[in-house]
Amino acid sequence: DTAVSQTPKYLVTQMGNDKSIKCEQNLGHDTMYWYKQDSKKFLKIMFSYNNKELIINETVPNRFSPKSPDKAHLNLHINSLELGDSAVYFCASSQRAGLAGGNEQFFGPGTRLTVL
Amino acid sequence: RKEVEQDPGPFNVPEGATVAFNCTYSNSASQSFFWYRQDCRKEPKLLMSVYSSGNEDGRFTAQLNRASQYISLLIRDSKLSDSATYLCVAPYYGQNFVFGPGTRLSVLP
């Protein structure tokens, strides 16, 4: 029944490792997002895909690579993890792209990444 | 001006109080806005959409002032369960948008 799900919920890893976070939505939405929320609680958009096509790509190190195998899934792969990557990563989805009225985003529960 | 700015908080108010937060935005062409609520260690959840002049839902009223480029959120008769961080969302450019830094509210018994 979960609308937007993410795995894993917690991820603890060493610097330099490569890790992936998976996201799935069962709402039939066209658009999916990845956000990073750091220790200061700022929620910043990283990427957005609309029907599997990348439409928003903010200033994010190229160690971060999103992949959307279909419009219900948006995974995030991170290479060569650094201490500064420690944060909570949220996946979200919305019916369509943009901020038109009624186009709310539904967020997953978040993945708390800790890099040691 | 930053894309989206919010009152820094935290706001500590007694139960039953009325409290208001402001959010200013930089993109004068913005048409639609949102208020989200985020509980501690949880994901953000939509509280209200805001377009035209404003919106009201029970104890919550959101107003939009295009001339001064801000939106406000008014909470009447505060409940303990209203304690959370309130995030404002505004369009930035194209299909992009920005979440504000959030305003933390603590409703005290």
Side-chain angles (χ1 to χ4, degrees), chain A residues 29-77:
Chain A
H29 288 169
D30 286 344
T31 309
M32 296 185 72
Y33 313 81
W34 275 112
Y35 288 87
K36 177 180 180 180
Q37 189 168 44
D38 60 25
S39 58
K40 294 183 179 178
K41 307 300 182 187
F42 288 103
L43 189 66
K44 291 189 176 178
I45 190 166
M46 302 172 68
F47 303 103
S48 176
Y49 273 71
N50 187 58
N51 277 321
K52 303 192 297 174
E53 297 295 322
L54 181 66
I55 58 170
I56 294 175
N57 185 358
E58 287 299 290
T59 307
V60 176
N62 58 15
R63 298 181 295 103
F64 290 79
S65 52
K67 282 190 171 53
S68 182
D70 55 63
K71 73 175 193 178
H73 295 83
L74 180 61
N75 304 322
L76 183 65
H77 189 74

Side-chain angles (χ1 to χ4, degrees), chain A residues 86-101:
Chain A
S86 296
V88 180
Y89 292 84
F90 286 103
C91 176
S93 74
S94 63
Q95 186 68 53
R96 56 194 177 279
L99 204 63

Side-chain angles (χ1 to χ4, degrees), chain B residues 29 61 77 86 90 99:
Chain B
T61 300
D77 188 21
Y86 291 83
F99 275 76

